[in-house]
Amino acid sequence: MQVVNKEAMNDLGMRLAKKLTSGDTVLLTGQMGAGKSELARGIARGLGYAGPIPSPTFTILNQYEGGREKLYHFDWYRIDDVEELYASGLDEVIGYDGITLIEWHQRAPELCPEDALEVVITVKDNDVRVVELISRGNFRSVCLEEL
Ligand SMILES: Nc1ncnc2c1ncn2[C@@H]1O[C@H](COP(=O)(O)OP(=O)(O)OP(=O)(O)O)[C@@H](O)[C@H]1O
Ligand SMILES: [Mg+2]
């Protein structure tokens, strides 16, 4: 699917949020500036969070409570050592009581659940992005066109 600008990426996230439920993990794949955090922002809005939704680049994990489901938004870009991920509380949240989003999951593939929805964002010209969904493992199929 083509996503023509930042606003459209936010809208896509809001629609995708409706398909997500507690225990789901969403892996966000794409180069720097692809729009992973913009999509995450839309998902957070779609779950009912009204406040600011900053990038977790420096915090590793941002948590949101008070929406339809808890939301855990990770960014592993700055992780050098998986021990840091454990320190961030990762093993206590992924796949349990909320929805988990992970940017730069490739940094620690051994810590990603096998069953996950991967969102691949590819940068095209200007503001255009191509978004694809891949159901990994036994994750149910989610069709972009039906969102
Ligand atoms: N179609 C689009 N979808 C999303 N963002 C877009 C789009 N077109 C332009 N942008 C711009 O691209 C940037 C995307 O930034 P964002 O922080 O979401 O990237 P990211 O993939 O999370 O990068 P990082 O790996 O650094 O965390 C923003 O500045 C946004 O305004
Ligand atoms: Mg980001």
Side-chain angles (χ1 to χ4, degrees):
M1 168 183 284
Q2 287 220 335
V3 176
V4 294
N5 55 33
K6 180 174 113 170
E7 288 70 31
M9 189 65 86
N10 275 274
D11 287 349
L12 179 63
M14 289 185 69
R15 299 200 304 277
L16 180 57
K18 297 197 180 93
K19 300 282 183 186
L20 298 175
T21 187
S22 189
D24 286 351
T25 300
V26 180
L27 307 175
L28 301 170
T29 305
Q31 66 184 59
M32 276 179 110
K36 302 179 293 297
S37 293
E38 289 297 342
L39 186 73
R41 202 161 279 135
I43 291 172
R45 288 268 176 273
L47 292 174
Y49 298 101
I53 301 155
S55 167
T57 304
F58 294 98
T59 49
I60 303 173
L61 170 62
N62 291 340
Q63 270 181 253
Y64 301 93
E65 290 184 23
R68 177 168 65 75
E69 303 284 359
K70 283 187 193 170
L71 181 67
Y72 303 99
H73 182 189
F74 284 96
D75 185 333
W76 293 350
Y77 188 75
R78 290 176 177 275
I79 294 292
D80 304 313
D81 184 336
V82 292
E83 289 305 318
E84 285 183 51
L85 284 179
Y86 285 109
S88 75
L90 161 131
D91 50 328
E92 288 158 28
V93 307
I94 292 184
Y96 289 94
D97 62 339
I99 293 165
T100 301
L101 312 178
I102 310 175
E103 299 187 38
W104 295 106
H105 56 93
Q106 306 93 325
R107 292 271 194 268
E110 66 275 33
L111 291 178
C112 293
E114 278 184 29
D115 301 338
L117 182 66
E118 182 175 8
V119 183
V120 181
I121 306 174
T122 309
V123 178
K124 297 287 174 188
D125 296 339
N126 302 317
D127 287 354
V128 177
R129 308 289 192 259
V130 171
V131 176
E132 295 162 282
L133 297 186
I134 300 168
S135 295
R136 293 190 178 198
N138 290 319
F139 200 93
R140 66 192 175 279
S141 143
V142 180
C143 185
L144 271 176
E145 283 65 34
E146 287 169 9
L147 294 181

